[in-house]
Amino acid sequence: VYSIVMTSEELKSWRKKCNYSQSRLAEALSVDVMTISRWERKIRSIPSFLHLALRCLELEGGESKAK
């Protein structure tokens, strides 16, 4: 099984590179802002699919089309 697990450092680096605050990223992913914080502080495990969701945000420019 092929799996890419993003580290907390990679998540924080991606978020800053793409100009997302924790609250903006939480809204884009439909999760609570504390979830982002806990991922970045290594309190909660980052889901194995998160890199795919972040890639979609990059491709879509970060704005949800469903709103």
Side-chain angles (χ1 to χ4, degrees):
V1 174
Y2 181 72
S3 175
I4 297 174
V5 178
M6 178 174 261
T7 68
S8 59
E9 292 82 12
E10 290 170 331
L11 172 58
K12 191 171 186 175
S13 175
W14 180 92
R15 184 174 58 77
K16 290 183 179 223
K17 176 188 76 164
C18 294
N19 297 314
Y20 276 84
S21 64
Q22 286 185 344
S23 59
R24 182 173 172 227
L25 181 57
E27 184 178 335
L29 296 174
S30 297
V31 299
D32 192 272
V33 67
M34 287 306 297
T35 300
I36 305 297
S37 176
R38 289 175 181 133
W39 288 341
E40 289 186 358
R41 292 183 293 141
K42 301 179 186 177
I43 293 171
R44 292 194 62 164
S45 297
I46 296 173
S48 60
F49 58 83
L50 184 63
H51 69 284
L52 298 173
L54 297 182
R55 182 66 179 136
C56 287
L57 290 177
E58 287 177 5
L59 294 173
E60 293 180 359
E63 298 301 322
S64 174
K65 309 262 191 248
K67 286 187 177 182

Short mmCIF file of all heavy atoms in Angstrom, two decimals:
data_model
loop_
_atom_site.label_atom_id
_atom_site.label_comp_id
_atom_site.label_asym_id
_atom_site.label_seq_id
_atom_site.Cartn_x
_atom_site.Cartn_y
_atom_site.Cartn_z
N VAL A 1 0.85 -1.18 0.00
CA VAL A 1 0.00 0.00 0.00
C VAL A 1 0.89 1.23 0.00
O VAL A 1 1.79 1.36 0.82
CB VAL A 1 -0.93 0.01 1.24
CG1 VAL A 1 -1.70 1.30 1.33
CG2 VAL A 1 -1.84 -1.17 1.22
N TYR A 2 0.61 2.12 -0.94
CA TYR A 2 1.38 3.36 -1.06
C TYR A 2 0.72 4.45 -0.23
O TYR A 2 -0.47 4.69 -0.36
CB TYR A 2 1.46 3.78 -2.52
CG TYR A 2 2.25 5.04 -2.74
CD1 TYR A 2 3.63 5.04 -2.62
CD2 TYR A 2 1.62 6.23 -3.05
CE1 TYR A 2 4.36 6.19 -2.82
CE2 TYR A 2 2.34 7.38 -3.25
CZ TYR A 2 3.71 7.35 -3.14
OH TYR A 2 4.44 8.49 -3.32
N SER A 3 1.47 5.09 0.62
CA SER A 3 0.90 6.13 1.47
C SER A 3 1.92 7.25 1.69
O SER A 3 3.08 6.99 1.97
CB SER A 3 0.51 5.52 2.82
OG SER A 3 0.05 6.51 3.70
N ILE A 4 1.46 8.47 1.53
CA ILE A 4 2.29 9.63 1.83
C ILE A 4 1.75 10.25 3.11
O ILE A 4 0.58 10.62 3.17
CB ILE A 4 2.22 10.68 0.70
CG1 ILE A 4 2.79 10.11 -0.59
CG2 ILE A 4 2.97 11.94 1.10
CD1 ILE A 4 2.65 11.02 -1.78
N VAL A 5 2.57 10.30 4.12
CA VAL A 5 2.15 10.91 5.37
C VAL A 5 2.86 12.25 5.51
O VAL A 5 4.09 12.31 5.53
CB VAL A 5 2.46 10.01 6.58
CG1 VAL A 5 2.06 10.69 7.87
CG2 VAL A 5 1.76 8.67 6.44
N MET A 6 2.08 13.30 5.56
CA MET A 6 2.62 14.65 5.69
C MET A 6 3.02 14.88 7.15
O MET A 6 2.30 14.49 8.06
CB MET A 6 1.54 15.64 5.26
CG MET A 6 1.94 17.07 5.37
SD MET A 6 0.66 18.14 4.68
CE MET A 6 1.37 18.44 3.09
N THR A 7 4.15 15.52 7.35
CA THR A 7 4.57 15.85 8.71
C THR A 7 3.96 17.19 9.13
O THR A 7 3.52 17.97 8.27
CB THR A 7 6.11 15.95 8.81
OG1 THR A 7 6.54 17.09 8.06
CG2 THR A 7 6.78 14.68 8.32
N SER A 8 3.98 17.44 10.41
CA SER A 8 3.45 18.71 10.91
C SER A 8 4.26 19.89 10.36
O SER A 8 3.70 20.94 10.04
CB SER A 8 3.44 18.72 12.44
OG SER A 8 4.73 18.53 12.95
N GLU A 9 5.56 19.69 10.22
CA GLU A 9 6.41 20.75 9.68
C GLU A 9 6.07 21.02 8.21
O GLU A 9 6.05 22.17 7.77
CB GLU A 9 7.88 20.38 9.81
CG GLU A 9 8.39 20.33 11.24
CD GLU A 9 8.08 19.02 11.96
OE1 GLU A 9 7.65 18.03 11.32
OE2 GLU A 9 8.24 19.00 13.19
N GLU A 10 5.80 19.97 7.46
CA GLU A 10 5.43 20.13 6.05
C GLU A 10 4.09 20.85 5.92
O GLU A 10 3.91 21.69 5.04
CB GLU A 10 5.36 18.77 5.36
CG GLU A 10 6.71 18.12 5.16
CD GLU A 10 6.62 16.69 4.69
OE1 GLU A 10 5.63 15.99 5.00
OE2 GLU A 10 7.56 16.25 4.01
N LEU A 11 3.15 20.51 6.80
CA LEU A 11 1.84 21.17 6.77
C LEU A 11 1.99 22.66 7.05
O LEU A 11 1.45 23.50 6.31
CB LEU A 11 0.89 20.53 7.79
CG LEU A 11 -0.44 21.25 8.00
CD1 LEU A 11 -1.22 21.36 6.69
CD2 LEU A 11 -1.26 20.54 9.07
N LYS A 12 2.71 22.99 8.09
CA LYS A 12 2.90 24.40 8.44
C LYS A 12 3.62 25.15 7.33
O LYS A 12 3.25 26.27 6.98
CB LYS A 12 3.67 24.52 9.76
CG LYS A 12 3.68 25.90 10.33
CD LYS A 12 4.26 25.90 11.72
CE LYS A 12 4.14 27.26 12.36
NZ LYS A 12 4.60 27.26 13.74
N SER A 13 4.64 24.52 6.75
CA SER A 13 5.38 25.14 5.65
C SER A 13 4.47 25.36 4.45
O SER A 13 4.49 26.43 3.82
CB SER A 13 6.56 24.24 5.27
OG SER A 13 7.22 24.74 4.15
N TRP A 14 3.65 24.36 4.10
CA TRP A 14 2.72 24.50 2.97
C TRP A 14 1.75 25.65 3.24
O TRP A 14 1.50 26.48 2.36
CB TRP A 14 1.93 23.21 2.77
CG TRP A 14 0.98 23.32 1.61
CD1 TRP A 14 1.22 22.97 0.32
CD2 TRP A 14 -0.36 23.85 1.64
NE1 TRP A 14 0.12 23.26 -0.46
CE2 TRP A 14 -0.86 23.80 0.32
CE3 TRP A 14 -1.18 24.36 2.64
CZ2 TRP A 14 -2.13 24.24 -0.01
CZ3 TRP A 14 -2.45 24.81 2.31
CH2 TRP A 14 -2.92 24.75 0.99
N ARG A 15 1.20 25.69 4.45
CA ARG A 15 0.21 26.70 4.79
C ARG A 15 0.79 28.10 4.65
O ARG A 15 0.17 28.99 4.07
CB ARG A 15 -0.28 26.46 6.23
CG ARG A 15 -1.38 27.38 6.67
CD ARG A 15 -1.92 27.00 8.02
NE ARG A 15 -0.96 26.99 9.10
CZ ARG A 15 -0.48 28.08 9.70
NH1 ARG A 15 -0.84 29.28 9.31
NH2 ARG A 15 0.38 27.96 10.70
N LYS A 16 2.00 28.30 5.13
CA LYS A 16 2.63 29.62 5.04
C LYS A 16 3.00 29.96 3.61
O LYS A 16 2.81 31.09 3.16
CB LYS A 16 3.85 29.68 5.96
CG LYS A 16 3.44 29.66 7.42
CD LYS A 16 4.60 29.79 8.36
CE LYS A 16 4.07 29.78 9.77
NZ LYS A 16 4.71 30.76 10.60
N LYS A 17 3.52 28.98 2.86
CA LYS A 17 3.90 29.20 1.46
C LYS A 17 2.69 29.61 0.63
O LYS A 17 2.78 30.46 -0.25
CB LYS A 17 4.52 27.92 0.89
CG LYS A 17 4.87 27.99 -0.59
CD LYS A 17 5.29 26.64 -1.12
CE LYS A 17 4.05 25.81 -1.30
NZ LYS A 17 4.17 24.63 -2.11
N CYS A 18 1.53 29.02 0.94
CA CYS A 18 0.31 29.29 0.16
C CYS A 18 -0.55 30.39 0.79
O CYS A 18 -1.69 30.60 0.36
CB CYS A 18 -0.48 27.99 0.01
SG CYS A 18 0.40 26.77 -0.99
N ASN A 19 -0.01 31.07 1.78
CA ASN A 19 -0.69 32.20 2.43
C ASN A 19 -2.03 31.84 3.07
O ASN A 19 -3.01 32.57 2.91
CB ASN A 19 -0.86 33.35 1.44
CG ASN A 19 0.46 33.90 0.97
OD1 ASN A 19 1.36 34.13 1.77
ND2 ASN A 19 0.59 34.07 -0.32
N TYR A 20 -2.04 30.74 3.78
CA TYR A 20 -3.23 30.34 4.53
C TYR A 20 -2.98 30.54 6.01
O TYR A 20 -1.94 30.12 6.53
CB TYR A 20 -3.54 28.85 4.32
CG TYR A 20 -4.32 28.53 3.08
CD1 TYR A 20 -3.69 28.39 1.85
CD2 TYR A 20 -5.70 28.35 3.14
CE1 TYR A 20 -4.41 28.08 0.71
CE2 TYR A 20 -6.42 28.04 2.00
CZ TYR A 20 -5.77 27.91 0.79
OH TYR A 20 -6.49 27.61 -0.34
N SER A 21 -3.93 31.15 6.69
CA SER A 21 -3.90 31.15 8.15
C SER A 21 -4.48 29.81 8.58
O SER A 21 -5.08 29.08 7.77
CB SER A 21 -4.77 32.28 8.70
OG SER A 21 -6.13 32.07 8.34
N GLN A 22 -4.33 29.47 9.84
CA GLN A 22 -4.94 28.24 10.33
C GLN A 22 -6.46 28.28 10.15
O GLN A 22 -7.06 27.29 9.74
CB GLN A 22 -4.60 27.99 11.80
CG GLN A 22 -3.18 27.53 12.01
CD GLN A 22 -2.89 27.18 13.46
OE1 GLN A 22 -3.62 27.55 14.37
NE2 GLN A 22 -1.79 26.48 13.66
N SER A 23 -7.06 29.42 10.42
CA SER A 23 -8.53 29.51 10.31
C SER A 23 -9.00 29.42 8.86
O SER A 23 -10.02 28.79 8.57
CB SER A 23 -9.06 30.77 10.98
OG SER A 23 -8.51 31.92 10.40
N ARG A 24 -8.26 30.02 7.95
CA ARG A 24 -8.64 29.94 6.53
C ARG A 24 -8.51 28.51 6.01
O ARG A 24 -9.36 28.03 5.26
CB ARG A 24 -7.78 30.89 5.70
CG ARG A 24 -8.16 30.87 4.24
CD ARG A 24 -7.42 31.94 3.46
NE ARG A 24 -7.68 31.75 2.04
CZ ARG A 24 -6.76 31.77 1.10
NH1 ARG A 24 -5.50 31.99 1.42
NH2 ARG A 24 -7.07 31.58 -0.16
N LEU A 25 -7.45 27.83 6.40
CA LEU A 25 -7.27 26.45 5.97
C LEU A 25 -8.34 25.56 6.58
O LEU A 25 -8.90 24.70 5.89
CB LEU A 25 -5.88 25.94 6.34
CG LEU A 25 -5.57 24.50 5.93
CD1 LEU A 25 -5.74 24.31 4.42
CD2 LEU A 25 -4.16 24.11 6.37
N ALA A 26 -8.66 25.79 7.84
CA ALA A 26 -9.72 25.00 8.49
C ALA A 26 -11.04 25.17 7.76
O ALA A 26 -11.75 24.19 7.50
CB ALA A 26 -9.86 25.43 9.95
N GLU A 27 -11.35 26.39 7.38
CA GLU A 27 -12.60 26.64 6.64
C GLU A 27 -12.58 25.94 5.28
O GLU A 27 -13.57 25.32 4.88
CB GLU A 27 -12.80 28.14 6.45
CG GLU A 27 -14.10 28.48 5.78
CD GLU A 27 -14.33 29.97 5.65
OE1 GLU A 27 -13.76 30.75 6.44
OE2 GLU A 27 -15.09 30.37 4.74
N ALA A 28 -11.45 26.01 4.59
CA ALA A 28 -11.35 25.38 3.27
C ALA A 28 -11.48 23.87 3.34
O ALA A 28 -12.02 23.24 2.43
CB ALA A 28 -10.01 25.75 2.63
N LEU A 29 -11.02 23.27 4.46
CA LEU A 29 -11.09 21.82 4.63
C LEU A 29 -12.34 21.37 5.39
O LEU A 29 -12.53 20.17 5.59
CB LEU A 29 -9.84 21.33 5.37
CG LEU A 29 -8.50 21.51 4.67
CD1 LEU A 29 -7.36 21.11 5.59
CD2 LEU A 29 -8.47 20.73 3.37
N SER A 30 -13.14 22.33 5.84
CA SER A 30 -14.35 22.04 6.63
C SER A 30 -14.02 21.27 7.91
O SER A 30 -14.67 20.29 8.26
CB SER A 30 -15.38 21.26 5.81
OG SER A 30 -15.81 22.05 4.72
N VAL A 31 -12.97 21.76 8.59
CA VAL A 31 -12.62 21.22 9.90
C VAL A 31 -12.51 22.39 10.88
O VAL A 31 -12.46 23.55 10.48
CB VAL A 31 -11.28 20.43 9.88
CG1 VAL A 31 -11.36 19.24 8.93
CG2 VAL A 31 -10.10 21.32 9.53
N ASP A 32 -12.47 22.08 12.15
CA ASP A 32 -12.32 23.10 13.17
C ASP A 32 -10.89 23.63 13.16
O ASP A 32 -9.94 22.88 12.88
CB ASP A 32 -12.65 22.50 14.55
CG ASP A 32 -12.78 23.57 15.60
OD1 ASP A 32 -11.75 23.92 16.21
OD2 ASP A 32 -13.90 24.05 15.81
N VAL A 33 -10.72 24.90 13.47
CA VAL A 33 -9.39 25.51 13.49
C VAL A 33 -8.48 24.79 14.48
O VAL A 33 -7.27 24.67 14.26
CB VAL A 33 -9.47 27.03 13.77
CG1 VAL A 33 -9.95 27.29 15.19
CG2 VAL A 33 -8.13 27.68 13.50
N MET A 34 -9.03 24.26 15.55
CA MET A 34 -8.21 23.52 16.52
C MET A 34 -7.65 22.24 15.92
O MET A 34 -6.60 21.77 16.35
CB MET A 34 -9.02 23.21 17.79
CG MET A 34 -9.25 24.43 18.67
SD MET A 34 -7.71 25.30 19.12
CE MET A 34 -6.87 24.04 20.06
N THR A 35 -8.32 21.69 14.93
CA THR A 35 -7.80 20.49 14.26
C THR A 35 -6.49 20.83 13.55
O THR A 35 -5.50 20.09 13.66
CB THR A 35 -8.83 19.94 13.26
OG1 THR A 35 -10.01 19.59 13.97
CG2 THR A 35 -8.29 18.73 12.52
N ILE A 36 -6.46 21.96 12.84
CA ILE A 36 -5.24 22.39 12.17
C ILE A 36 -4.13 22.62 13.19
O ILE A 36 -3.01 22.16 13.02
CB ILE A 36 -5.47 23.69 11.35
CG1 ILE A 36 -6.63 23.53 10.35
CG2 ILE A 36 -4.18 24.14 10.68
CD1 ILE A 36 -6.42 22.49 9.28
N SER A 37 -4.47 23.30 14.27
CA SER A 37 -3.51 23.56 15.33
C SER A 37 -2.96 22.26 15.92
O SER A 37 -1.75 22.12 16.12
CB SER A 37 -4.18 24.39 16.43
OG SER A 37 -3.29 24.57 17.51
N ARG A 38 -3.83 21.31 16.16
CA ARG A 38 -3.40 20.02 16.74
C ARG A 38 -2.53 19.23 15.77
O ARG A 38 -1.60 18.55 16.19
CB ARG A 38 -4.61 19.22 17.17
CG ARG A 38 -5.28 19.81 18.41
CD ARG A 38 -6.55 19.08 18.77
NE ARG A 38 -7.15 19.71 19.93
CZ ARG A 38 -8.43 20.02 20.03
NH1 ARG A 38 -9.26 19.74 19.04
NH2 ARG A 38 -8.89 20.59 21.11
N TRP A 39 -2.83 19.31 14.47
CA TRP A 39 -1.97 18.65 13.48
C TRP A 39 -0.59 19.27 13.50
O TRP A 39 0.41 18.57 13.49
CB TRP A 39 -2.55 18.78 12.07
CG TRP A 39 -3.77 17.95 11.80
CD1 TRP A 39 -4.20 16.85 12.49
CD2 TRP A 39 -4.70 18.15 10.73
NE1 TRP A 39 -5.36 16.36 11.92
CE2 TRP A 39 -5.68 17.13 10.84
CE3 TRP A 39 -4.81 19.08 9.71
CZ2 TRP A 39 -6.74 17.03 9.94
CZ3 TRP A 39 -5.87 18.97 8.82
CH2 TRP A 39 -6.81 17.95 8.95
N GLU A 40 -0.53 20.59 13.54
CA GLU A 40 0.75 21.28 13.49
C GLU A 40 1.56 21.11 14.78
O GLU A 40 2.78 21.19 14.76
CB GLU A 40 0.55 22.76 13.19
CG GLU A 40 0.11 23.00 11.76
CD GLU A 40 0.04 24.46 11.38
OE1 GLU A 40 0.30 25.35 12.23
OE2 GLU A 40 -0.28 24.73 10.20
N ARG A 41 0.89 20.88 15.89
CA ARG A 41 1.59 20.68 17.17
C ARG A 41 1.80 19.20 17.49
O ARG A 41 2.25 18.86 18.57
CB ARG A 41 0.82 21.36 18.30
CG ARG A 41 0.84 22.88 18.18
CD ARG A 41 0.12 23.55 19.34
NE ARG A 41 -1.30 23.26 19.29
CZ ARG A 41 -2.07 23.01 20.35
NH1 ARG A 41 -1.56 23.01 21.57
NH2 ARG A 41 -3.36 22.75 20.22
N LYS A 42 1.49 18.32 16.55
CA LYS A 42 1.67 16.87 16.68
C LYS A 42 0.81 16.25 17.78
O LYS A 42 1.16 15.22 18.35
CB LYS A 42 3.14 16.52 16.92
CG LYS A 42 4.07 16.99 15.84
CD LYS A 42 5.50 16.63 16.16
CE LYS A 42 6.45 17.23 15.14
NZ LYS A 42 7.83 16.95 15.47
N ILE A 43 -0.31 16.89 18.09
CA ILE A 43 -1.23 16.35 19.08
C ILE A 43 -2.16 15.33 18.43
O ILE A 43 -2.55 14.34 19.05
CB ILE A 43 -2.01 17.48 19.77
CG1 ILE A 43 -1.04 18.33 20.59
CG2 ILE A 43 -3.14 16.95 20.62
CD1 ILE A 43 -1.64 19.60 21.15
N ARG A 44 -2.51 15.56 17.18
CA ARG A 44 -3.34 14.63 16.41
C ARG A 44 -2.58 14.22 15.16
O ARG A 44 -1.83 14.99 14.60
CB ARG A 44 -4.65 15.30 15.98
CG ARG A 44 -5.57 15.59 17.15
CD ARG A 44 -6.94 15.91 16.68
NE ARG A 44 -7.49 14.76 15.97
CZ ARG A 44 -8.77 14.60 15.70
NH1 ARG A 44 -9.63 15.52 16.07
NH2 ARG A 44 -9.20 13.55 15.05
N SER A 45 -2.83 13.00 14.73
CA SER A 45 -2.21 12.50 13.50
C SER A 45 -2.83 13.19 12.29
O SER A 45 -4.05 13.40 12.24
CB SER A 45 -2.43 11.00 13.37
OG SER A 45 -1.80 10.33 14.42
N ILE A 46 -2.00 13.51 11.33
CA ILE A 46 -2.47 14.11 10.09
C ILE A 46 -3.02 13.00 9.21
O ILE A 46 -2.35 11.98 9.02
CB ILE A 46 -1.32 14.86 9.39
CG1 ILE A 46 -0.87 16.04 10.26
CG2 ILE A 46 -1.74 15.34 8.01
CD1 ILE A 46 0.36 16.75 9.75
N PRO A 47 -4.23 13.16 8.67
CA PRO A 47 -4.79 12.11 7.80
C PRO A 47 -3.90 11.86 6.59
O PRO A 47 -3.31 12.79 6.03
CB PRO A 47 -6.14 12.68 7.36
CG PRO A 47 -6.44 13.79 8.29
CD PRO A 47 -5.12 14.30 8.81
N SER A 48 -3.83 10.62 6.18
CA SER A 48 -2.94 10.24 5.08
C SER A 48 -3.34 10.89 3.76
O SER A 48 -2.51 11.02 2.86
CB SER A 48 -2.92 8.72 4.93
OG SER A 48 -4.21 8.24 4.65
N PHE A 49 -4.58 11.32 3.63
CA PHE A 49 -5.05 11.92 2.37
C PHE A 49 -4.91 13.45 2.35
O PHE A 49 -5.25 14.08 1.36
CB PHE A 49 -6.52 11.56 2.11
CG PHE A 49 -7.43 12.00 3.22
CD1 PHE A 49 -7.89 13.30 3.29
CD2 PHE A 49 -7.79 11.11 4.22
CE1 PHE A 49 -8.72 13.72 4.32
CE2 PHE A 49 -8.62 11.52 5.26
CZ PHE A 49 -9.08 12.81 5.31
N LEU A 50 -4.41 14.04 3.41
CA LEU A 50 -4.38 15.51 3.48
C LEU A 50 -3.57 16.11 2.34
O LEU A 50 -3.95 17.15 1.79
CB LEU A 50 -3.83 15.99 4.82
CG LEU A 50 -3.86 17.51 5.00
CD1 LEU A 50 -5.30 18.02 4.99
CD2 LEU A 50 -3.15 17.93 6.26
N HIS A 51 -2.47 15.48 1.94
CA HIS A 51 -1.68 16.03 0.84
C HIS A 51 -2.50 16.16 -0.44
O HIS A 51 -2.31 17.09 -1.21
CB HIS A 51 -0.41 15.20 0.60
CG HIS A 51 -0.66 13.84 0.04
ND1 HIS A 51 -1.14 12.81 0.81
CD2 HIS A 51 -0.53 13.36 -1.20
CE1 HIS A 51 -1.28 11.73 0.05
NE2 HIS A 51 -0.92 12.04 -1.18
N LEU A 52 -3.46 15.26 -0.63
CA LEU A 52 -4.33 15.35 -1.81
C LEU A 52 -5.28 16.54 -1.71
O LEU A 52 -5.50 17.25 -2.68
CB LEU A 52 -5.14 14.06 -1.97
CG LEU A 52 -4.32 12.79 -2.21
CD1 LEU A 52 -5.21 11.56 -2.18
CD2 LEU A 52 -3.56 12.89 -3.51
N ALA A 53 -5.84 16.75 -0.52
CA ALA A 53 -6.75 17.88 -0.31
C ALA A 53 -6.01 19.20 -0.51
O ALA A 53 -6.53 20.13 -1.14
CB ALA A 53 -7.37 17.82 1.08
N LEU A 54 -4.78 19.28 -0.02
CA LEU A 54 -4.00 20.50 -0.18
C LEU A 54 -3.65 20.74 -1.64
O LEU A 54 -3.65 21.89 -2.11
CB LEU A 54 -2.74 20.45 0.68
CG LEU A 54 -2.96 20.35 2.19
CD1 LEU A 54 -1.63 20.34 2.92
CD2 LEU A 54 -3.87 21.43 2.71
N ARG A 55 -3.37 19.68 -2.35
CA ARG A 55 -3.09 19.81 -3.79
C ARG A 55 -4.32 20.35 -4.52
O ARG A 55 -4.20 21.21 -5.40
CB ARG A 55 -2.66 18.46 -4.36
CG ARG A 55 -2.31 18.50 -5.81
CD ARG A 55 -1.05 19.34 -6.06
NE ARG A 55 -0.76 19.33 -7.49
CZ ARG A 55 -0.41 20.39 -8.18
NH1 ARG A 55 -0.25 21.55 -7.59
NH2 ARG A 55 -0.18 20.31 -9.46
N CYS A 56 -5.49 19.86 -4.16
CA CYS A 56 -6.73 20.38 -4.76
C CYS A 56 -6.90 21.86 -4.47
O CYS A 56 -7.31 22.62 -5.35
CB CYS A 56 -7.94 19.60 -4.26
SG CYS A 56 -8.06 17.94 -4.94
N LEU A 57 -6.59 22.28 -3.25
CA LEU A 57 -6.69 23.70 -2.91
C LEU A 57 -5.74 24.52 -3.77
O LEU A 57 -6.08 25.61 -4.21
CB LEU A 57 -6.39 23.92 -1.42
CG LEU A 57 -7.43 23.42 -0.44
CD1 LEU A 57 -6.95 23.64 0.99
CD2 LEU A 57 -8.77 24.09 -0.66
N GLU A 58 -4.55 23.99 -4.00
CA GLU A 58 -3.60 24.69 -4.86
C GLU A 58 -4.16 24.85 -6.28
O GLU A 58 -4.09 25.92 -6.87
CB GLU A 58 -2.28 23.92 -4.95
CG GLU A 58 -1.44 23.98 -3.70
CD GLU A 58 -0.18 23.13 -3.82
OE1 GLU A 58 0.09 22.56 -4.91
OE2 GLU A 58 0.55 23.04 -2.83
N LEU A 59 -4.71 23.77 -6.81
CA LEU A 59 -5.22 23.78 -8.18
C LEU A 59 -6.46 24.65 -8.34
O LEU A 59 -6.66 25.27 -9.38
CB LEU A 59 -5.53 22.36 -8.64
CG LEU A 59 -4.32 21.44 -8.77
CD1 LEU A 59 -4.75 20.02 -9.06
CD2 LEU A 59 -3.36 21.94 -9.84
N GLU A 60 -7.28 24.73 -7.31
CA GLU A 60 -8.51 25.52 -7.36
C GLU A 60 -8.31 26.95 -6.87
O GLU A 60 -9.26 27.72 -6.83
CB GLU A 60 -9.60 24.85 -6.54
CG GLU A 60 -10.06 23.53 -7.11
CD GLU A 60 -11.14 22.88 -6.28
OE1 GLU A 60 -11.52 23.43 -5.23
OE2 GLU A 60 -11.60 21.81 -6.68
N GLY A 61 -7.14 27.27 -6.47
CA GLY A 61 -6.88 28.62 -5.95
C GLY A 61 -7.35 28.81 -4.54
O GLY A 61 -7.42 29.91 -4.05
N GLY A 62 -7.72 27.71 -3.85
CA GLY A 62 -8.07 27.78 -2.45
C GLY A 62 -9.49 28.16 -2.14
O GLY A 62 -9.91 28.15 -1.01
N GLU A 63 -10.27 28.53 -3.12
CA GLU A 63 -11.64 28.95 -2.84
C GLU A 63 -12.61 27.82 -3.16
O GLU A 63 -12.52 27.19 -4.21
CB GLU A 63 -12.00 30.18 -3.67
CG GLU A 63 -11.14 31.37 -3.35
CD GLU A 63 -11.21 31.80 -1.92
OE1 GLU A 63 -12.31 31.76 -1.32
OE2 GLU A 63 -10.18 32.20 -1.36
N SER A 64 -13.54 27.59 -2.27
CA SER A 64 -14.54 26.55 -2.47
C SER A 64 -15.55 27.00 -3.50
O SER A 64 -16.08 28.10 -3.44
CB SER A 64 -15.25 26.24 -1.15
OG SER A 64 -16.30 25.35 -1.38
N LYS A 65 -15.85 26.16 -4.47
CA LYS A 65 -16.84 26.47 -5.50
C LYS A 65 -18.26 26.16 -5.03
O LYS A 65 -19.22 26.57 -5.64
CB LYS A 65 -16.54 25.63 -6.76
CG LYS A 65 -15.12 25.74 -7.23
CD LYS A 65 -14.98 26.71 -8.34
CE LYS A 65 -13.62 26.62 -8.99
NZ LYS A 65 -12.78 27.71 -8.80
N ALA A 66 -18.39 25.44 -3.92
CA ALA A 66 -19.70 25.01 -3.43
C ALA A 66 -20.45 26.11 -2.69
O ALA A 66 -21.63 25.99 -2.44
CB ALA A 66 -19.54 23.80 -2.52
N LYS A 67 -19.78 27.19 -2.34
CA LYS A 67 -20.43 28.23 -1.52
C LYS A 67 -21.47 28.99 -2.28
O LYS A 67 -21.57 29.33 -3.32
CB LYS A 67 -19.42 29.17 -0.94
CG LYS A 67 -18.67 28.50 0.18
CD LYS A 67 -17.77 29.50 0.86
CE LYS A 67 -17.07 28.84 2.04
NZ LYS A 67 -16.24 29.71 2.76
#
